[in-house]
Amino acid sequence: MQVWRGTGEVPADLGTTVATLGIFDGVHRGHQVVLGATVSEAEAADLVSVAITFDPHPATVHRPDEQFELIASLTDRLERLAATGLDAVLVLEYSLDLARNTPEEFVRTYLVDTLHAAMVVVGEDVRFGWRNSGDQHTMHDLGHELGFGVRIVEDIACEANGRRWSSTWIRELLAAGDVAGATDVLGRTHRVRGVVVHGAKRGRELGYPTANLLADDLGVVPADGVYAGWLIRPAHAPADGSSKRLPAAISVGTNPTFHGVERTVEANVLGRTDLDLYGEEVVVELVANLRPMIAFDGIPALLDQMAKDVARSAEILGVPAPQRPETSTFP
């Protein structure tokens, strides 16, 4: 999949396209239906399938004083968009100037003049242009006026409860620590991505070294607790054939046993004490919620529970459980 960061990178000989547009935060099941329809229409007409997306998220531009966290970083969003089969993505820098485009100005500039769209595929809740004044009816009218077809994809709801797939739903599930539920809405495991930083090194002293990520920099982090999941090293190219994808027990919170105040995501790679990940960008995928975060009455009780967390994580992930560390260097 080609990625064009701005209209200046769109090839002059692009030809005709089938296009869609949206933020696609998370690229959840609802997004996937629209994107799949875009790809199918393009393949049927032997055209190029293109999605327009935006960075940064419009909420951060319009409400800069409010904290807003992405479900997926732009890197992960692009990976997930590529997985839908799109030929290309046009990433537009979202700004107040872009937001001032009327619906017609936006469509003329980006869908017609830049992407030469023969068809535009959007969900029935599409909004675009100044103050989100453009909707599916506006798109139909502009298509008739400017010479492109429009396909509206109806919302598809979850069969279990009838709720439409949405980013709001995912945020609610993650806030409750329900990573399995978020996986169902996303269609894939929720992940966070960040650079490993130095921590207090208590995990190493306890026999369970962790890769530490600062939760403030990761996007939507689930509720405090302990999770089973995977640590992935995207840039790692092992010569010995070892895996980039490593099973892990993951702690999210402030380490209440040690009266911590800084919220972190700490991933203990099962059975590995030899990893040096400081300064490396890693991905942490959260598969299952094991338990809430609690303060323990002393180190022995904490170590007993950590051993259980590691064993349970191994069971869930389908990997051999490592032996419990025989000794701890913690004072």
Side-chain angles (χ1 to χ4, degrees):
M1 184 186 77
Q2 298 182 63
V3 178
W4 305 318
R5 298 178 186 268
T7 57
E9 294 188 5
V10 177
D13 59 351
L14 172 62
T16 309
T17 71
V18 175
T20 188
L21 66 148
I23 301 167
F24 303 119
D25 187 15
V27 195
H28 57 64
R29 288 185 186 273
H31 296 145
Q32 291 166 34
V33 173
V34 174
L35 294 162
T38 304
V39 172
S40 296
E41 292 285 355
E43 290 177 345
D46 195 24
L47 300 177
V48 178
S49 57
V50 184
I52 294 176
T53 192
F54 306 92
D55 184 61
H57 193 290
T60 67
V61 174
H62 291 291
R63 300 186 297 276
D65 295 333
E66 296 181 15
Q67 184 177 6
F68 183 85
E69 298 168 330
L70 289 168
I71 295 172
S73 67
L74 180 61
T75 298
D76 288 315
R77 199 189 332 165
L78 292 173
E79 285 185 7
R80 293 169 181 179
L81 288 170
T84 67
L86 285 167
D87 294 311
V89 171
L90 171 59
V91 182
L92 295 179
E93 180 180 0
Y94 194 85
S95 65
L96 292 177
D97 284 341
L98 178 65
R100 292 187 184 101
N101 277 228
T102 67
E104 181 176 352
E105 288 171 338
F106 181 87
V107 167
R108 281 185 180 276
T109 300
Y110 300 105
L111 293 174
V112 177
D113 295 343
T114 301
L115 297 183
H116 316 298
M119 175 173 285
V120 175
V121 180
V122 290
E124 62 182 350
D125 63 344
V126 66
R127 292 292 185 274
F128 60 98
W130 173 242
R131 294 185 175 176
N132 284 333
S133 55
D135 59 13
Q136 60 168 303
H137 304 293
T138 312
M139 189 67 79
H140 267 301
D141 291 344
L142 289 170
H144 180 74
E145 176 185 344
L146 300 175
F148 59 84
V150 176
R151 175 177 171 182
I152 305 298
V153 179
E154 294 183 359
D155 282 344
I156 297 179
C158 172
E159 292 183 2
N161 61 14
R163 184 170 181 178
R164 66 183 290 271
W165 308 111
S166 70
S167 298
T168 298
W169 189 8
I170 296 166
R171 293 173 188 278
E172 291 173 2
L173 291 165
L174 293 174
D178 186 358
V179 293
T183 294
D184 187 49
V185 181
L186 282 165
R188 58 176 60 80
T189 308
H190 178 62
R191 56 168 49 180
V192 295
R193 179 188 295 262
V195 175
V196 178
V197 299
H198 288 274
K201 298 184 171 57
R202 292 194 188 98
R204 185 170 299 278
E205 294 169 338
L206 292 168
Y208 296 96
T210 59
N212 300 329
L213 307 175
L214 296 180
D216 289 346
D217 300 328
L218 303 180
V220 179
V221 175
D224 290 2
V226 178
Y227 300 83
W230 302 90
L231 183 142
I232 302 168
R233 306 176 68 185
H236 185 52
D240 59 1
S242 59
S243 177
K244 290 186 175 185
R245 186 179 177 85
L246 305 168
I250 302 153
S251 171
V252 177
T254 59
N255 291 310
T257 300
F258 300 100
H259 309 291
V261 294
E262 190 169 47
R263 192 165 187 249
T264 60
V265 174
E266 302 183 12
N268 166 246
V269 176
L270 305 187
R272 297 290 297 270
T273 60
D274 59 325
L275 296 172
D276 182 2
L277 302 175
Y278 294 122
E280 182 175 333
E281 183 182 67
V282 300
V283 171
V284 175
E285 290 190 344
L286 298 122
V287 173
N289 188 327
L290 302 184
R291 62 174 176 86
M293 181 64 65
I294 58 176
F296 289 90
D297 185 17
I299 301 302
L302 172 61
L303 287 171
D304 286 342
Q305 185 59 57
M306 291 174 73
K308 293 175 183 177
D309 294 338
V310 166
R312 179 64 177 142
S313 295
E315 179 183 0
I316 290 170
L317 300 172
V319 300
Q323 291 186 345
R324 177 173 175 170
E326 294 183 1
T327 61
S328 167
T329 60
F330 198 88

